[in-house]
Structure formats: C-alpha cells, structure tokens
Amino acid sequence: MDEFTKRKISVYGINGCLDALKSDLVEINQIYIEKESSASKHKEIESLYSNLPTDKTLFLDETSFSKKVGTNRAQGILIKAQVSIAQALPMPKHDNECYVILDRVQDPHNLGQILRICAGGKIDGVIITDKSSVSITSAVAQVSQGGFAKIPIYEINNISQTILHFKEHDYWITSFENNINAQNWYSIDLKGRTVLIFGGEGSGISKKVLENSDFTATIPMSNEMNSLNVSSAVSAIVFERLRQISI
C-alpha cells in the first residue's frame, strides 16, 4: 500500500490560500491571482509563491479571474492543489497524542468544520473511512478555513482493525454515542494517548466499534433534544480534552 494518496482541491481567499502555501501536506499545482487585487499586493503571499516555479503562478485581469473562480469572495486568489491523505496509521510520538476517528461522516460541511475544530484543538490527526464517508474535497477545504492544511488526514478501510492498532500502542478508545450505558462526557479522562470516535449523520457508530471501545460517553441534552450535530459534538469533546491537558 502506498503511504499517501492525493486528493485534488481548489481553495480561494487569502487566509485559506496562505495556509495551503505554507503547508507540507499540500502540493500546489496552480495559483491564479487577480491583478490589482488584495492578494496581488499581499507581501506574504508574494514571498511564498516566489519560491515556486514561475509557471505555477498566473496573473489574470478581473474578467478572466471572475470566470475562473466563479465567486465574489475570492479576494483575488485561487489555488488548485493536491492534499496528501495518509494510508498508513501513525505511530506514537508523544504522551498526550489524540486522534479523532469519524465513522461514516458523509456531509462535506461537517467534515470541513471538524478539520477546523481539530486543527484548533491540538488533535494530532483525523481518521476517515474510505467507504460510506466523505473525503477531502474543495467544499471540505473551503469550510475548514485552512484546517485541511494544518492537520494530517488518514484514510482507513476498517475501524475495528484501526482500534487494535491504537490499543497495541497504549491508547484509550472512547466512542461518543447516545446510549443508556454511556458515561457523561465530562467524567471521562481524556488526557494521555486517546482516540475519540464519532458517528456519522443518522447512522451513528457501528455496534462492533462500540464493543471494541474502552469507554462509551454521551453529551446529555435537555428539552427533549436527543443529539448534537456531529461537528458540534466533536467541538465540545475536543475542547474539553484541550482543557484537561492544559490544567
């Protein structure tokens, strides 16, 4: 198996494109810059693309750029790139490592938000499945607000086998699911080497994955609401973990 596969994306806007240009996870194929735009006058962008082969950067007039981009929110820059998706599972590097596994998350907006949350919450990587799940796309990259360029993404075909890999390296596995036997989320110790598993929209976490987890936790709801959107649930848990390891 190859160590990495590539996913083609397009990303626009100064902040997202800056993150792409700075990232070791992103390979730049082409940069389009609108003449006399904010991006064309941005010194950091200029210093970054000047290190690339000159044929990778094209300057377009306003009309040509608008046709290429198709949005009025691009701030004068569009990048076409490839994002590296790891196929081999990570080995431990430090004692407080944490990975988020997504079990069949299919909504690009949710995945983009989760990448943004995990990049901001000191998560070491996001793991997705290669079937019945969304992968990195232009829409995901745009929603992630640069998160796609800041956090490693891993693609696997079997979550149960992935859990065994992490258990062999002394990680605790916690699945978050509404379940009568689940513990309250704030009672789980999230310090140390941990794996956090979240289920997709509607389908939740598979029974076998729940059985292979060390803990099952839930976020209690009020007013007869029974669940959070998956990206909201990830946000609550990831930043609770960050609080715990920062104490």
Side-chain angles (χ1 to χ4, degrees):
M1 179 185 292
D2 293 335
E3 189 174 356
F4 293 94
T5 189
K6 304 282 188 179
R7 295 285 188 274
K8 292 182 178 180
I9 62 160
S10 297
V11 62
Y12 58 81
I14 286 174
N15 290 336
C17 289
L18 267 175
D19 288 327
L21 286 164
K22 293 175 182 178
S23 176
D24 293 334
L25 302 172
V26 179
E27 178 184 338
I28 305 298
N29 293 336
Q30 194 74 65
I31 307 170
Y32 299 95
I33 296 179
E34 180 185 346
K35 297 175 182 177
E36 301 304 315
S37 66
S38 299
S40 71
K41 303 169 185 176
H42 198 288
K43 295 302 182 184
E44 188 174 10
I45 287 176
E46 181 180 6
S47 69
L48 289 166
Y49 72 65
S50 64
N51 293 322
L52 298 171
T54 55
D55 62 352
K56 285 187 179 287
T57 305
L58 295 178
F59 292 87
L60 305 175
D61 59 42
E62 182 179 356
T63 300
S64 299
F65 184 81
S66 295
K67 289 180 179 178
K68 177 67 67 176
V69 180
T71 176
N72 60 4
R73 296 183 296 159
Q75 299 175 294
I77 186 167
L78 167 73
I79 287 179
K80 292 186 178 295
Q82 296 184 93
V83 179
S84 295
I85 308 293
Q87 304 294 295
L89 288 169
M91 299 299 290
K93 297 181 181 66
H94 60 85
D95 290 339
N96 261 331
E97 277 192 334
C98 181
Y99 291 88
V100 166
I101 295 179
L102 303 177
D103 187 358
R104 297 169 293 176
V105 169
Q106 298 177 330
D107 187 318
H109 189 272
N110 278 334
L111 179 56
Q113 290 281 15
I114 289 167
L115 292 176
R116 184 180 185 185
I117 291 161
C118 291
K122 286 192 176 181
I123 299 299
D124 293 278
V126 173
I127 299 170
I128 60 177
T129 54
D130 61 359
K131 296 178 182 177
S132 302
S133 300
V134 65
S135 187
I136 186 74
T137 64
S138 297
V140 170
Q142 202 64 43
V143 170
S144 77
Q145 295 290 300
F148 74 96
K150 295 179 178 179
I151 188 164
I153 304 170
Y154 299 81
E155 192 174 76
I156 60 168
N157 56 31
N158 188 297
I159 293 180
S160 293
Q161 290 180 1
T162 301
I163 288 173
L164 290 176
H165 164 83
F166 281 113
K167 284 189 173 184
E168 287 172 356
H169 294 92
D170 299 322
Y171 288 78
W172 292 102
I173 315 297
T174 303
S175 287
F176 292 87
E177 179 86 342
N178 287 335
N179 184 312
I180 60 172
N181 297 316
Q183 301 179 54
N184 282 335
W185 62 289
Y186 50 78
S187 69
I188 301 290
D189 184 353
L190 301 175
K191 299 186 293 296
R193 292 179 182 167
T194 58
V195 173
L196 312 175
I197 304 178
F198 299 87
E201 311 85 0
S203 59
I205 298 174
S206 66
K207 182 178 179 181
K208 189 172 182 181
V209 170
L210 290 172
E211 290 172 350
N212 289 333
S213 300
D214 297 305
F215 307 103
T216 305
T218 187
I219 302 173
M221 305 288 289
S222 63
N223 294 325
E224 298 183 359
M225 299 297 291
N226 60 10
S227 67
L228 286 172
N229 175 281
V230 62
S231 61
S232 298
V234 171
S235 181
I237 302 304
V238 162
F239 287 104
E240 167 59 16
R241 172 191 169 270
L242 185 59
R243 183 194 71 80
Q244 290 187 18
I245 67 173
S246 300
I247 295 174

